[in-house]
Structures are given as structure tokens and as C-alpha cells.
Amino acid sequence: MMAKAYWVVCYHSIESTDKLAAYAKLAGPALEAAGARYLARGNAAKAYENGLMQRTVLIEFESLQKAIAAHDSPAYQAALKALGGAAKRDMRIVEGLA
């Protein structure tokens, strides 16, 4: 059985909620078409160890390859272009434990 993979996206700041909404409108369908399953999204309930009380998103994919392909897909790249510099965030892809 192949290990699942997860996108972990932590927002540091959001400069434009309009651009974030435009990004979300494109990103959701692009990622769902790639087999993504949203596990959590929203503002942090509590933050520790230099964490920020900002938006956090956790998305599951069937495999590391599918998680990477979703990010690199033309549809998701269009969503990133819509976001532009409207949010400072970091995104990691982490492989699950098999």
C-alpha cells in the first residue's frame, strides 16, 4: 500500500481577501479534480512554539506523486497566479507514514 501525502499550508498574513477568494474559487476545483480531500482549513484554534493564529489548511492526497502533480498542474498554477502576492504563506508536502 502506498503512503498518502499531505499538503500543509500555513498563512502568515493575508493582504487581500478579494484575491484570496479568487484563488479559492480556482484552487478548490483544481485540487478536487486531482483527488484532494480537505481535512482541515480555517484559523488556528490555538498556536504554540512561534505558531501564528492564522489560516491553516491540511489536504490529503492518495500519494506523494499525486500531491506534487496537483501543485504543478496548470489549473492549480492558475489559482496561484490569481493569488499573486496577496498572502504570505508557506506550503509543505509531507509523505504520510505507511
Side-chain angles (χ1 to χ4, degrees):
M1 185 168 126
M2 191 175 293
K4 294 189 178 187
Y6 303 87
W7 282 19
V8 181
V9 184
C10 298
Y11 286 73
H12 300 268
S13 63
I14 298 169
E15 302 298 324
S16 170
T17 56
D18 289 342
K19 286 186 178 181
L20 181 61
Y23 160 82
K25 186 174 181 179
L26 296 172
L31 295 177
E32 288 167 6
R37 186 168 79 110
Y38 286 87
L39 299 179
R41 62 180 163 198
N43 288 333
K46 186 75 176 159
Y48 296 99
E49 300 180 32
N50 296 316
L52 300 174
M53 294 293 288
Q54 287 285 352
R55 183 171 181 77
T56 303
V57 182
L58 178 62
I59 306 170
E60 180 181 70
F61 291 87
E62 288 300 314
S63 68
L64 178 61
Q65 293 75 20
K66 288 185 178 187
I68 293 169
H71 181 272
D72 296 345
S73 72
Y76 186 71
Q77 291 300 307
L80 285 177
K81 187 174 181 181
L83 181 62
K88 181 180 175 189
R89 63 189 200 155
D90 69 79
M91 184 255 200
R92 298 136 200 239
I93 298 176
V94 180
E95 194 167 18
L97 303 174

